[in-house]
């Protein structure tokens, strides 16, 4: 009797451990070792308006940004670090409307917004309207990890991060001639002194950077950083610092970073809506993203795009504008694109 009991125990134990091994195997092969996807803004980006040098500069910057995140993920680093460091690189580049290279407000200032969300526990952090933080994405991370809040703005956010060892710079650091000229042209056009081309008019809205990463542990992080829209007034905030609008991450579904006309992305909670279609509607990432960006948002008049990835490492890079600076990297694949295919 005792022997039979012992035998039954052994069989039961091996069944349980075998089940666990199978489950672990299934989970292991269900997502790639890592995946990372980035954007550098969507808009009226047309080949006819692009010089060979400018196009190369954008492609090089996108590749370098991907290299930074990929290195971290390849060596087993976590997705939060990958997203922060990748976005920091893009914030340092004058090519993008984030950090150095941020656009100007109506009053001639640079006011930046950023957010980050971790899909494992859905912790999140965001800053809005900051003027002297070199890396707004790092400030968003500090809010996520070192405070009980999700969102801080203006002077309050600036003083919070100073106590958390985030680099502060003189606001003049963010000034670039290219962005200053864009503001001057828009101000002149408001006074009727010049006419903006259709492309210029549309592009008042575009240029944000964003990154979504999946690490070896299967954790997804999404982050977004922006200078907002040229000529913005009244401390206007866009979608980029708003969790659910410009940024969203949930390990169970996907991570999303948006770029485009922020007011629409806020009204239609674009990032969360893509995840919700997966969560409640059982749709794939590709179906959800395509529907929200190319059907729903188009019908509402909202221009822009998203980059996203799901827990299996599937990538989406949808946009309803002429182009979007974008790219992704996985263990055996690297893509960098600017225009529509
Ligand atoms: N979404 C940003 C905003 O509205 C701008 C952009 O993505 O270009 O502030």
């Amino acid at each position: 009797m005792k022997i039979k009991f012992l035998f039954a125990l052994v069989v039961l134990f091996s069944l349980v451990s075998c089940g666990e091994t199978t489950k672990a195997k299934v989970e292991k092969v269900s997502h790639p070792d890592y995946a990372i996807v980035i954007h550098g803004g969507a808009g009226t980006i047309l080949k006819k308006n692009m010089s060979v040098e400018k196009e190369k500069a954008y492609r090089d910057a996108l590749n370098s940004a991907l290299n930074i995140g990929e290195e971290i993920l390849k060596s087993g680093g976590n997705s939060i670090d990958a997203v922060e460091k990748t976005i920091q690189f893009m914030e340092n580049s004058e090519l993008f409307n984030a950090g150095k290279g941020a656009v100007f407000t109506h009053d001639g200032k640079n006011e930046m917004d950023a957010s980050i969300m971790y899909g494992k526990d859905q912790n999140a952090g965001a800053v809005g309207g900051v003027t002297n933080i070199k890396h707004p994405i790092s400030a968003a991370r500090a809010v996520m990890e070192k405070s009980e809040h999700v969102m801080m703005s203006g002077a309050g956010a600036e003083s919070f991060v100073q106590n958390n060892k985030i680099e502060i710079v003189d606001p003049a650091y963010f000034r670039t001639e290219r962005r200053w000229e864009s503001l001057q042209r828009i101000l002149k056009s408001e006074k009727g002194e010049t006419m903006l081309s259709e492309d210029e008019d549309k592009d008042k809205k575009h240029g944000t950077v964003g990154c979504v990463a999946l690490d070896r542990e299967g954790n997804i992080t999404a982050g977004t950083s922006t200078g907002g829209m040229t000529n913005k007034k009244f401390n206007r905030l866009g979608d980029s610092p708003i969790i659910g609008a410009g940024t969203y991450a949930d390990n169970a579904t996907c991570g999303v970073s948006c770029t485009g006309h922020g007011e629409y992305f806020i009204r239609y909670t674009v990032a969360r809506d893509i995840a919700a279609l997966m969560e409640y509607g059982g749709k794939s990432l590709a179906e959800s993203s395509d529907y929200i960006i190319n059907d729903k948002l188009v019908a509402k008049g909202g221009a822009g795009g998203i980059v996203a990835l799901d827990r299996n490492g599937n990538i989406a890079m949808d946009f309803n504008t002429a182009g979007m600076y974008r790219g992704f990297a996985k263990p055996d694949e690297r893509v960098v694109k600017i225009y529509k295919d």
Side-chain angles (χ1 to χ4, degrees):
M1 187 66 191
K2 248 187 192 169
I3 291 178
K4 264 193 188 163
F5 179 70
L6 269 177
F7 180 71
L9 262 183
V10 169
V11 169
L12 193 68
F13 178 75
S14 41
L15 273 179
V16 168
S17 51
C18 169
E20 263 175 17
T21 321
T22 318
K23 194 170 154 232
K25 265 191 197 146
V26 169
E27 276 171 7
K28 188 133 185 57
V29 293
S30 65
H31 66 82
D33 216 20
Y34 65 84
I36 179 166
V37 60
I38 58 173
H39 70 76
T44 318
I45 308 163
L46 294 165
K47 203 168 174 71
K48 69 172 168 74
N49 298 336
M50 191 79 88
S51 67
V52 176
E53 296 76 34
K54 200 169 159 196
E55 183 175 323
K56 183 176 179 315
Y58 274 104
R59 285 187 186 280
D60 288 350
L62 291 167
N63 270 310
S64 303
L66 283 172
N67 289 345
I68 289 169
E70 191 172 24
E71 257 335 290
I72 293 170
L73 296 167
K74 241 187 214 169
S75 54
N78 71 48
S79 55
I80 304 178
D81 285 336
V83 166
E84 182 190 13
K85 299 292 176 223
T86 303
I87 290 185
Q88 278 186 351
F89 173 84
M90 296 174 96
E91 287 174 336
N92 284 342
S93 165
E94 293 189 19
L95 293 173
F96 305 108
N97 170 21
K100 177 109 186 140
V103 298
F104 281 91
T105 67
H106 182 75
D107 299 328
K109 293 185 186 148
N110 304 103
E111 290 177 359
M112 290 152 289
D113 311 326
S115 65
I116 192 162
M117 185 167 192
Y118 189 40
K120 183 181 181 183
D121 54 11
Q122 296 201 280
N123 202 2
V127 292
V130 295
T131 57
N132 63 2
I133 299 172
K134 187 172 183 192
H135 291 296
I137 192 65
S138 304
R141 180 176 182 174
V143 173
M144 172 169 84
E145 292 179 340
K146 296 180 178 152
S147 86
E148 55 188 317
H149 305 302
V150 168
M151 199 171 187
M152 296 184 191
S153 67
E158 292 166 357
S159 81
F160 168 77
V161 300
Q162 283 190 43
N163 298 330
N164 283 285
K165 301 192 174 61
I166 299 287
E167 192 174 349
I168 298 294
V169 289
D170 189 298
Y173 162 82
F174 297 104
R175 184 193 165 100
T176 57
E177 280 321 297
R178 173 180 166 216
R179 301 299 189 192
W180 182 251
E181 277 312 309
S182 303
L183 174 67
Q184 300 317 309
R185 281 188 59 76
I186 291 171
L187 293 178
K188 276 189 190 151
S189 82
E190 280 185 346
K191 288 188 211 143
E193 291 167 13
T194 188
M195 279 271 285
L196 294 183
S197 69
E198 206 190 318
D199 295 354
E200 261 180 317
D201 196 34
K202 283 187 194 158
D203 275 340
K204 283 192 284 192
K205 315 176 183 85
H206 305 288
T208 299
V209 306
C211 176
V212 189
L214 168 72
D215 62 29
R216 204 177 273 173
E217 305 301 319
N219 293 317
I220 298 173
T221 299
T224 311
S225 180
T226 190
M229 287 166 67
T230 307
N231 197 32
K232 63 186 182 182
K233 296 169 188 154
F234 313 118
N235 300 115
R236 174 261 186 197
L237 296 172
D239 59 314
S240 309
I242 298 180
I243 297 301
T247 302
Y248 191 75
D250 179 1
N251 277 2
T253 51
C254 64
V256 184
S257 170
C258 302
T259 176
H261 195 158
E263 279 67 10
Y264 290 84
F265 284 72
I266 297 172
R267 287 186 195 117
Y268 304 110
T269 58
V270 168
R272 167 63 189 152
D273 228 19
I274 290 171
L277 267 182
M278 296 175 73
E279 185 177 345
Y280 304 127
K283 303 277 184 215
S284 68
L285 175 65
E287 290 167 331
S288 305
S289 160
D290 178 46
Y291 172 70
I292 297 297
I293 300 302
N294 295 318
D295 287 339
K296 187 168 172 185
L297 214 50
V298 168
K300 302 289 184 188
I306 61 101
V307 294
L309 54 74
D310 69 14
R311 60 190 171 150
N312 299 319
N314 295 309
I315 304 280
M317 303 192 294
D318 284 301
F319 52 99
N320 59 33
T321 51
M324 180 168 80
Y325 301 108
R326 63 199 188 279
F328 73 84
K330 291 192 208 185
D332 305 311
E333 214 179 344
R334 163 76 66 116
V335 167
V336 164
K337 287 184 177 180
I338 298 177
Y339 316 107
K340 276 227 154 87
D341 287 327

